[in-house]
Amino acid sequence: MAKYHFDMITIGAGSGGVASSRRAGSYGARVAICEDWRVGGTCVMRGCVPKKFLVYAAEFADDFADAAGYGWHVPAPRFDWAKLIANKNKELDRLEGIYRNLLKNANVTLFEGRATIVDPHTIEVLGKRHTTANIMVATGARPILPSIPGIEHAITSNEALDLSAMPKQVVIAGGGYIACEFAGIFKGVGADVTIVIRGDKVLRGFDEDIRTTLTEEMTARGINIVSHTQIGAIKKARDAFRVVLGKGDDLMADKVLYAIGRAPYTKNIGLEEAGAKLKPNGAIMVDSWSRSSVPSIYAIGDVTDRLNLTPVAIAEGRAVAETLFNDNPIEMDHANVPSAVFSIPSVGTVGLTEHDARKQFGALDIYRARFRPMKNTLSGRGERTMMKLVVDRKTDRVLGCHMVGPDAPELIQGLAVAIKCGATKRQFDQTVGIHPTAGEEFVTMRDKVPEPKAEAAE
Ligand code: NDP
C-alpha cells in the first residue's frame, strides 16, 4: 500500500501546473491537480491567448488603411466588438475542453475547488484531505491595484478582455507589457488611448533603443503618453471617469485600466504555515530545482516571480516532473529566454540589453538598423523598424538581439536558437539572408554604432 494517496498534487491548472502534471502523469506518477477557476489559467483564459486575438483584431485596422496603396478600394470598415468577444470566448471554451482532455489522457485527477496546504504532505480540497509525496504550487499571480481614491472604478487586464462594449476613451496606468499591448488593442479598434507612466518611456528594463522606438511609434500612432506622473484619484463623472493626475491636467475616460504589475498569488494557501519561505512580495522562494524551503513543496511560474512568462513556467514544471518521476534531473536554465511584447508595432528581444551587457562584459560592438519596412513604401505608412545586435568585442559573441517592428516576436524566436548556441557576429555574417525580408537585416549589419561617451554608457 502506497504511503500517500498521490505522488504529486498540483495547485493551479494554468500553463505551468498543467504541463508539469501531464508530464508527471505520462511517467506513471499518481497526480491530482486542483483548480477553483477555469482549466487553462491566466495565459489561456485571461492573458496571452485572448490578448493575442484582440491584437489580431486591432492589426486589421492597419491592413485596411494600407490596402489603398496596393490598389484596393476598401469601403469604410465597421468593427463589431461584441462579435470579437463572442468569437474569442467560443475559442477559449474549445481550448478549455482540450486542456481538460489532456489532463484526462495523462490520468491526472482534476479537483475543481480551492485547495489549501494542510501540512507538507496533505492538501485539502472540496472538503476532503488527500496525502501526497510532493506538492506543486502553480497558482500564478494577480494584478496589483494601488490604494488610491476611486480605485474601485478601475479595471485590470482580466476585465479588459471581456468588456461588453468597446470603450471610447481609455486611460492606462503603467508602461509595461500589458499597458503597451492593450494600448495597441484599444487604439487599433478605434478608441482614444492615454498611457500614464512614472518615467519618460515605456518598457523599463528593456533595451533603451526598444524603449525609445516603441515610445515614439506608439506616439506617432496617436497614443497619448503622459510621462513623469501618476494617477492620484479616479472620480465618477456622470457616465465617465475623471482621472486626476499628480501633475498635469485631468483626463477623462470611460475605462481606466491598471497594468502596473502582478503580485504572486500565495495568500491563504497554507504555505507559510507549512514552513515555506516567501519573498517580501509574497513570491515563494525556490532553488534552481524549483524546490521551496520545504523539501516536499515545489513551486513554478509567476508564483515564484523569477521570469514571469508562460513558456518559462511550462519549462520549470516539466523540469520538476522529469527530475521527480523520470530519473532525469533537469535544472531550469533561465539564461537567454526570448520574450515579446505584442504591442503595435511589436517587440521581440533575446539576451542582454546594451546596458546590462556593458556592465557584465565591458567593451561591446553595437549594430543597429532603422528602416522603413518594404510594405510601408507603397502604403505610405511612416512607421520604421528598429533592429539591434549587442556583441561582445572580446569573443565576438552576440549577447543580445532586439527588435521593434512587424513580426518581431516571430523573428526573434528563430534568433533565440542562435543566441542559445552562443553564435558569434561572424556566424551571423556568414548566414545568407532571405531577400526581400526584414529579417535579412540581422545578418547583413556591417556598420558599428559609434562608441558612446563614457557617461552615456552608464
Ligand atoms: P510590468 O512589470 O511589465 O510593468 C509594470 C509597469 O507598471 C511598469 O511600466 C512600471 O513603471 C509601472 N508601475 C509599477 N508600479 C507602479 C505604480 N505604483 N504606479 C504607476 N506605475 C507603476 O507589468 P504588467 O502588469 O504589464 O505585466 C505583468 C507581467 O505579466 C509582466 O512582467 C510579464 O511578465 C507578464 N506579461 C507578459 C506578456 C508577454 O510575454 N507578452 C504579456 C503580458 C504580461 P516604472 O517604469 O515606473 O517602474
Side-chain angles (χ1 to χ4, degrees):
M1 173 94 170
K3 191 170 171 199
Y4 301 110
H5 298 127
F6 290 99
D7 297 312
M8 181 167 91
I9 297 184
T10 302
I11 308 180
S15 301
V18 168
S20 186
S21 304
R22 282 181 59 208
R23 184 60 64 93
S26 76
Y27 292 133
R30 295 161 310 146
V31 183
I33 191 165
C34 313
E35 175 58 60
D36 65 352
W37 188 58
R38 297 186 70 178
V39 175
T42 299
C43 172
V44 186
M45 292 300 153
R46 52 169 100 164
C48 326
V49 173
K51 173 273 310 285
K52 188 127 187 218
F53 287 129
L54 269 52
V55 171
Y56 280 136
E59 284 174 342
F60 277 101
D62 283 6
D63 295 335
F64 291 128
D66 292 351
Y70 286 89
W72 290 93
H73 295 276
V74 182
R78 278 187 309 116
F79 175 67
D80 185 342
W81 174 267
K83 181 162 188 178
L84 169 66
I85 298 300
N87 286 349
K88 181 261 297 175
N89 288 342
K90 213 159 94 190
E91 177 58 11
L92 296 193
D93 290 344
R94 190 183 74 86
L95 290 174
E96 185 174 7
I98 290 176
Y99 268 67
R100 284 173 180 272
N101 272 336
L102 291 173
L103 288 171
K104 206 158 112 197
N105 295 341
N107 290 321
V108 175
T109 305
L110 174 62
F111 292 126
E112 297 196 59
R114 193 186 153 75
T116 47
I117 299 171
V118 178
D119 66 46
H121 290 287
T122 311
I123 292 287
E124 184 169 318
V125 62
L126 300 170
K128 268 185 85 174
R129 291 186 174 192
H130 305 271
T131 59
T132 176
N134 301 286
I135 294 171
M136 166 64 81
V137 184
T139 46
R142 302 289 183 273
I144 296 172
L145 285 169
S147 36
I148 56 162
I151 193 64
E152 66 277 9
H153 302 309
I155 60 168
T156 69
S157 53
N158 293 344
E159 295 77 38
L161 290 163
D162 267 324
L163 297 174
S164 52
M166 195 193 105
K168 295 188 177 59
Q169 273 184 306
V170 187
V171 170
I172 303 177
Y177 281 85
I178 294 179
C180 291
E181 292 178 345
F182 275 97
I185 290 168
F186 288 129
K187 186 70 199 170
V189 299
D192 284 338
V193 178
T194 299
I195 289 187
V196 180
I197 52 173
R198 299 186 295 192
D200 61 340
K201 289 178 219 161
V202 295
L203 292 186
R204 188 161 60 83
F206 283 69
D207 188 89
E208 281 304 307
D209 282 302
I210 285 186
R211 301 184 66 198
T212 307
T213 308
L214 188 63
T215 305
E216 285 172 4
E217 294 299 355
M218 284 170 67
T219 306
R221 280 177 171 265
I223 293 169
N224 178 26
I225 301 183
V226 182
S227 58
H228 301 290
T229 189
Q230 268 175 276
I231 297 174
I234 304 166
K235 294 180 179 166
K236 186 102 183 76
R238 294 225 182 91
D239 49 1
F241 299 107
R242 178 176 293 280
V243 179
V244 183
L245 299 183
K247 192 190 84 184
D249 296 335
D250 294 355
L251 301 163
M252 293 306 292
D254 56 353
K255 288 288 172 224
V256 183
L257 167 62
Y258 259 84
I260 61 165
R262 296 170 60 86
Y265 189 57
T266 47
K267 266 203 199 115
N268 305 327
I269 301 177
L271 277 159
E272 281 167 294
E273 293 79 352
K277 289 207 178 89
L278 305 184
K279 296 183 203 164
N281 70 348
I284 303 174
M285 286 171 80
V286 288
D287 63 15
S288 56
W289 302 91
S290 296
R291 189 178 249 198
S292 77
S293 53
V294 180
S296 62
I297 301 181
Y298 290 79
I300 52 159
D302 291 5
V303 76
T304 62
D305 196 25
R306 288 177 282 180
L307 250 182
N308 300 332
L309 300 166
T310 296
V312 173
I314 292 172
E316 289 166 352
R318 287 185 179 154
V320 174
E322 290 290 334
T323 306
L324 291 180
F325 305 112
N326 192 33
D327 199 16
N328 175 27
I330 298 181
E331 215 174 347
M332 177 65 195
D333 176 9
H334 289 97
N336 292 322
V337 170
S339 86
V341 185
F342 294 93
S343 45
I344 305 176
S346 57
V347 170
T349 178
V350 61
L352 297 177
T353 65
E354 179 179 346
H355 177 268
D356 289 348
R358 278 195 198 286
K359 279 211 293 206
Q360 282 183 44
F361 290 84
L364 301 177
D365 290 327
I366 303 294
Y367 298 84
R368 189 173 53 218
R370 284 204 180 93
F371 58 94
R372 201 168 163 207
M374 189 172 168
K375 192 176 175 192
N376 289 359
T377 52
L378 298 202
S379 66
R381 183 173 291 280
E383 196 159 274
R384 294 169 82 80
T385 283
M386 190 287 297
M387 289 178 174
K388 177 173 180 177
L389 292 179
V390 177
V391 180
D392 178 20
R393 186 170 297 163
K394 205 156 85 208
T395 61
D396 197 43
R397 195 153 70 90
V398 181
L399 303 171
C401 302
H402 308 285
M403 175 173 174
V404 181
D407 299 323
E410 302 289 345
L411 258 148
I412 291 290
Q413 178 68 83
L415 286 182
V417 179
I419 301 301
K420 198 76 190 166
C421 295
T424 59
K425 175 66 166 69
R426 191 174 141 75
Q427 289 169 321
F428 269 61
D429 295 343
Q430 286 169 339
T431 305
V432 176
I434 300 173
H435 186 71
T437 63
E440 66 182 318
E441 200 66 34
F442 270 124
V443 294
T444 53
M445 290 190 194
R446 291 174 58 86
D447 300 324
K448 294 176 195 169
V449 174
E451 280 288 296
K453 294 203 172 64
E455 69 274 17
E458 281 301 301

